[in-house]
Amino acid sequence: MDEALLRSLTPGVLGVLVRRGADFAAAEDAVQEALVEALRGWPADQPRDPKGWLVTVAWRKFLDATRADAARRRREDVVEAEVAPGPAAGVDDTLQLYFLCAHPSLTPSSAVALTLRAVGGLTTRQIAQAYLVPEATMAQRISRAKRTVSGVRLDQPGDVATVLRVLYLVFNEGYSGDVDLAAEAIRLTRQLAAAIDHPEVAGLLALMLLHHARRAARTTADGSLVPLAEQDRSRWDTALIAEGVAILQRALSRDRLGEFQAQAAIAALHADAQDAAETDWVQIVEWYDELVRLTGSPVVRLNRAVAVGEADGPRAGLAALAELDTSLPRYTAVSAYLHERDGDLPAAAKLYAEAARKASSLAEADHLTRQAARLNTHQS
C-alpha cells in the first residue's frame, strides 16, 4: 500500500472533520485511528475513493469518542452530585487499592493511568495534561484499562514489583499537572516499607526521598528548569537526604540488589557531593553498569553515556552514545551536552535546538532553547 498516499490525504481529511464541527485535537485522534484501520485493511482491499473512505471512518470514530466522552462526563456529574457519606472508620485502604489497580493483566502505563483516576482523585483532563495527550485519548486509555480488569477477579492483585513500578511512576507524575502526588507517593511507599520487609521497597523509598530532597532547587521562581550541576545545594533538604541514605545503606547491606537500590545509590552519590565538581562520577558509572545488568534498559544506557562523559571525558561519552538508538527520548539533548563539553559549540547549538523541538514538556523545551541561544550568542 502507498503510505505516501495516506500522508497526502491526511490534511484534507482533518480539514473536513474540523469544518464539520470537530475540535482539532479530537479530529486528529479520529484521523489517526482511521489511518490505523487503513493500514490494516487497505493492503487487501483498497477503496476506490480513499479520501471518502477516510472521511467516513474518521467521522465515525469522532462521533463514537464524543458519545463515550459525553457518557463519561454524565457519570462523573452524577458521582459529584451524590450526597457525601457519613463518618467512616479511620482505615486507610489506599495502598490496597494500588495493588488492585496494578493487576497483572494491565501494562504499567495503563495501571498508572487507572490508579491516578480511581485512587489519586485526578480528573481525566488533569491526567491527560500530565501525559501531554488529548483528554479523549486518555479517557479511552482509562476505559480500556477498566474493561481489562472488569473481567478478572480483583482478589488477585498485582505483585509487589508492579506496585513499586506504579508508585514510582506516580511519584514522577506528581511533579507535573495541577495536583502534586509526589508526597502522597512517598507516604504510601512508607506504608509499604512498614508492611513488607523487602530491600527493593526500601530502595524505592530511599530513591524517592533523595529525589524529593532536591525539589526546591529544581526550578527557578518563574518555573524554568535548573540542571543538577547548577542547583543551589544549600536548598536541598539535608534531613531527607540523611534519611534516604540511611534507608539505602540498610537495604544494600542485605546483598539483594535491585534496580531501585541501584538508582538510589546514584542519587546518594549526587547528594553526597558538596558541589558538582566533587561528584564521584567513576562510582556513578559503576552503578550504571549494575543498572544495565539488572534492566538492560536503553534509557539507563543513555544516562550511563552522560556519566561516562563526566568520568572519562566527552569523547568517551559520545562513543558510548553512538552505540544507542538515536530515537531514544533525550538522545539529542544528551548529544548536545556532550558536544558542548567537547568544545564543538556550533554542533551543540544545533542539537539543543533540535532537542527543544522534540521535548515532552514546555519547561524542558524552554530550557533547551535557552541553551541553544546561549551558545549561538557565544559564537556571534
Side-chain angles (χ1 to χ4, degrees):
M1 182 184 64
D2 188 358
E3 294 187 16
L5 171 64
L6 285 178
R7 287 195 295 271
S8 68
L9 292 175
T10 297
V13 176
L14 185 60
V16 171
L17 265 64
V18 171
R19 288 193 294 274
R20 288 185 178 182
D23 68 87
F24 190 79
E28 276 192 315
D29 290 340
V31 172
Q32 288 300 317
E33 290 193 30
L35 292 174
V36 170
E37 286 203 16
L39 288 169
R40 290 172 179 166
W42 284 13
D45 183 21
Q46 182 168 323
R48 286 191 295 271
D49 180 8
K51 182 178 179 180
W53 187 96
L54 285 172
V55 168
T56 300
V57 174
W59 183 247
R60 186 178 70 243
K61 296 288 186 183
F62 167 73
L63 292 177
D64 289 345
T66 301
R67 294 188 187 104
D69 188 54
R72 176 185 56 77
R73 288 180 181 277
R74 286 195 297 271
R75 290 194 298 271
E76 290 182 349
D77 289 342
V78 169
V79 171
E80 291 176 0
E82 289 180 352
V83 178
V91 177
D92 183 0
D93 59 357
T94 306
L95 192 57
Q96 180 62 25
L97 292 176
Y98 268 72
F99 272 90
L100 294 179
C101 288
H103 195 276
S105 61
L106 293 175
T107 64
S109 60
S110 295
V112 172
L114 182 59
T115 303
L116 289 170
R117 182 70 188 93
V119 188
L122 273 69
T123 65
T124 304
R125 183 183 299 276
Q126 289 170 324
I127 302 170
Q129 289 172 345
Y131 275 84
L132 302 176
V133 299
E135 182 180 356
T137 300
M138 182 53 66
Q140 291 172 0
R141 185 180 302 177
I142 294 172
S143 295
R144 284 194 297 268
K146 289 180 178 179
R147 287 197 298 271
T148 298
V149 298
S150 66
V152 299
R153 293 175 60 87
L154 289 183
D155 58 354
Q156 299 173 359
D159 61 13
V160 173
T162 303
V163 173
L164 290 180
R165 177 78 48 199
V166 172
L167 282 170
Y168 184 46
L169 292 173
V170 169
F171 173 80
N172 288 332
E173 290 297 334
Y175 285 120
S176 60
D178 299 324
V179 179
D180 180 0
L181 292 177
E184 173 68 359
I186 291 174
R187 183 184 74 84
L188 293 172
T189 306
R190 287 188 187 278
Q191 283 188 7
L192 188 58
I196 300 176
D197 183 19
H198 193 292
E200 269 294 82
V201 177
L204 176 59
L205 178 57
L207 177 61
M208 288 181 174
L209 295 175
L210 290 164
H211 278 319
H212 205 59
R214 301 199 301 258
R215 183 173 187 181
R218 292 175 70 242
T219 56
T220 61
D222 65 0
S224 300
L225 294 179
V226 181
L228 178 60
E230 300 172 19
Q231 289 178 11
D232 178 358
R233 301 190 178 209
S234 68
R235 300 183 65 194
W236 289 3
D237 189 326
T238 54
L240 282 183
I241 290 173
E243 182 185 4
V245 169
I247 292 171
L248 173 63
Q249 288 175 337
R250 289 194 295 272
L252 291 175
S253 68
R254 301 179 64 178
D255 198 25
R256 291 169 56 194
L257 184 64
E259 61 176 294
F260 290 121
Q261 294 169 73
Q263 288 187 61
I266 293 169
L269 286 167
H270 284 298
D272 187 54
Q274 294 298 310
D275 55 52
E278 292 186 10
T279 305
D280 190 343
W281 287 106
V282 173
Q283 271 205 72
I284 288 176
V285 171
E286 292 174 353
W287 278 111
Y288 271 121
D289 288 339
E290 290 288 348
L291 260 179
V292 169
R293 181 182 63 80
L294 289 165
T295 67
S297 166
V299 175
V300 170
R301 292 180 186 273
L302 183 69
N303 291 331
R304 179 185 177 277
V306 177
V308 169
E310 299 289 352
D312 301 327
R315 295 286 175 89
L318 287 168
L321 187 65
E323 299 175 359
L324 305 178
D325 187 342
T326 59
S327 66
L328 280 173
R330 296 187 61 250
Y331 180 100
T332 308
V334 170
S335 182
Y337 174 74
L338 291 172
H339 275 88
E340 180 184 357
R341 287 283 316 283
D342 195 38
D344 190 349
L345 302 189
K350 291 180 181 178
L351 287 165
Y352 275 129
E354 181 183 346
R357 293 191 292 270
K358 298 177 179 178
S360 60
S361 71
L362 291 177
E364 183 181 0
D366 178 68
H367 169 70
L368 293 167
T369 301
R370 289 173 185 269
Q371 297 295 86
R374 172 179 57 81
L375 294 185
N376 285 326
T377 301
H378 181 78
Q379 296 173 71
S380 60

